[in-house]
Amino acid sequence: MAGFLDNFRWPEFECIDWGESRNAVASIVAGVLFFTGWWIIIDAAVVYSKNGELNPAFHTCGVMSTVAFFMINAVSNGQVRGDGYSDGCLGRTGARIWLFVGFMLMFGSLIASMWILFGAYVVLKVNVYPGLAVFFQNALIFFSSLIYKFGRTEELWA
Amino acid sequence: MVPGRGRKWDRIRSREKMAGIKALVGLSFSGAIGLTFLMLGCALEQYGVYWPLFVLIFYFLSPIPSFIARRLGDDSDAASSACRELAYFFTTGIVVSAFGLPIILARVAVIQWGACGLVLAGNAVIFLTILGFFLVFGRGDDFSWEQW
C-alpha cells in the first residue's frame, strides 16, 4: 500500500521547451498574481469606502506585503549562498538578514490580513467582501513573491 | 554563398523585407481594430462617456519596461537576465491593470458593462498587436531600431 504512486509519472507535455523560458513564465505568472491582488483591493476601496466598511488602515497590510516582495526579490539566491565574485553592498550575512526580514514582513502581513478578515468582518457579522479583498490581496502578493523568488533559476543568467 | 554579396543574397533579403512589410500591415490593421473597439466602447449612443480612454496610458506604458531592459543589458548571450525578468513582471502588471481599470469603472457604474466588454476586447487585440510587434521586429541577430 505504501508507495503505490511511486511509479506514477505525469503525462509529458514536450511541445514547448520549458527549459529556456522557465524564468519568463515564472515572471509573468508572478506579475499576474501580484497586480491582480492590487486590483482586488482597489476594487474594494472604490466600492466599499463610502460608509467606512473598509477601514483605510487595512491598506497597511498590502503596502507591507509589497515592500516585503521587493525586499525578498532584491537579493539573489547566489548572494545568500555566498557565490559570486563580489560581496554586494551587504555581504553574505547582510543578504541573509535582509531576506529574513523580508520574509518576516511577508508572513506578518499575511497573518495580519487573516486576522483582519476574521476579527473585523467574520466575527462582527458584517458584509465580508472587504475583508476577503484584503486577505486575497495579501495572499496573492505572497504567492507571487514565492513564485518570483523560487520559480526562476539563476542558471539561466550565466 | 557569402552573406552580403551577390544577386541570390539580394533576393533573399528582399523577400525578408517583403515579409516584414506584410507583418507591419497586418499588425497595423489589428491595431486599428483594437482602437476601434475602444472607441466604440466610448462613443456609441448608449454609452457616451469617455472614461475608458484612460487605458491608452497603459497601451503606451506597456513596451517601456522591455525597451529599458534591452538597452541596459543586451551585452551577454545569456538566455535571460534579472533585468529582463523584472521587465516581464512590470509589463504583465501593466497589461493586468489595463484589464482591471474598465472592470472597476463598470463596477461603480461609471461606464456600462457593455462598454466594459468592448474595451476589454480592444485591450486584448491591442496587446496581441504589441506582442506581435515584439515577436516580429524585436528579435534578430542585430537588434537595431530600424529593421528594414
Side-chain angles (χ1 to χ4, degrees):
Chain A
M1 172 71 177
F4 70 97
L5 284 180
D6 279 354
N7 290 326
F8 178 73
R9 292 282 173 267
W10 289 109
E12 292 291 315
F13 292 107
E14 285 306 324
C15 45
I16 313 173
D17 176 21
W18 288 111
E20 289 254 319
S21 55
R22 172 184 161 172
N23 283 12
V25 170
S27 309
I28 291 172
V29 170
V32 170
L33 291 178
F34 182 90
F35 284 95
T36 304
W38 270 102
W39 278 95
I40 287 177
I41 197 70
I42 290 174
D43 175 74
V46 167
V47 174
Y48 287 100
S49 59
K50 288 184 291 296
N51 310 327
E53 285 170 326
L54 177 64
N55 187 338
F58 296 158
H59 289 293
T60 312
C61 295
V63 172
M64 294 314 292
S65 294
T66 305
V67 168
F69 176 97
F70 287 107
M71 281 182 75
I72 288 170
N73 286 299
V75 295
S76 62
N77 292 327
Q79 282 265 305
V80 173
R81 279 195 299 266
D83 310 339
Y85 299 106
S86 75
D87 256 356
C89 43
L90 297 173
R92 187 175 67 168
T93 311
R96 288 176 172 174
I97 294 176
W98 182 268
L99 196 62
F100 175 75
V101 172
F103 270 112
M104 280 197 54
L105 284 177
M106 183 61 80
F107 284 121
S109 308
L110 187 64
I111 293 170
S113 71
M114 291 182 195
W115 194 333
I116 286 173
L117 169 62
F118 286 104
Y121 291 95
V122 171
V123 163
L124 301 183
K125 297 207 188 335
V126 295
N127 180 16
V128 82
Y129 180 81
L132 282 177
V134 174
F135 170 68
F136 276 115
Q137 177 204 16
N138 287 278
L140 286 173
I141 295 178
F142 172 72
F143 287 118
S144 161
S145 76
L146 286 186
I147 291 177
Y148 199 71
K149 179 94 189 128
F150 298 115
R152 303 178 299 152
T153 170
E154 297 181 4
E155 292 172 10
L156 289 179
W157 295 354
Chain B
M1 182 186 65
V2 176
R5 320 268 306 268
R7 282 191 293 274
K8 197 167 176 188
W9 177 254
D10 287 341
R11 276 199 293 275
I12 291 174
R13 289 294 294 167
S14 77
R15 266 202 291 272
E16 285 175 4
K17 288 181 196 171
M18 199 54 212
I21 293 179
K22 279 192 221 168
L24 187 70
V25 172
L27 286 172
S28 65
F29 178 69
S30 69
I33 295 286
L35 288 174
T36 304
F37 278 133
L38 178 63
M39 287 311 299
L40 281 177
C42 299
L44 281 178
E45 283 283 337
Q46 66 261 40
Y47 304 138
V49 285
Y50 285 82
W51 293 113
L53 290 183
F54 273 104
V55 300
L56 287 172
I57 299 177
F58 295 119
Y59 296 168
F60 287 120
L61 285 179
S62 64
I64 292 179
S66 300
F67 284 146
I68 294 176
R70 284 186 200 211
R71 286 287 255 178
L72 284 183
D74 210 18
D75 312 328
S76 62
D77 334 311
S80 183
S81 78
C83 201
R84 201 196 307 181
E85 290 156 17
L86 194 61
Y88 285 158
F89 178 80
F90 282 119
T91 308
T92 315
I94 293 170
V95 171
V96 167
S97 301
F99 283 97
L101 179 65
I103 293 177
I104 290 195
L105 288 178
R107 287 258 290 161
V108 277
V110 167
I111 66 176
Q112 297 182 39
W113 283 103
C116 174
L118 282 170
V119 175
L120 293 182
N123 281 354
V125 173
I126 293 273
F127 284 124
L128 285 174
T129 306
I130 295 176
L131 179 66
F133 255 103
F134 270 95
L135 288 179
V136 171
F137 294 109
R139 299 284 163 77
D141 302 290
D142 44 340
F143 174 69
S144 63
W145 293 103
E146 316 166 34
Q147 281 289 334
W148 63 92

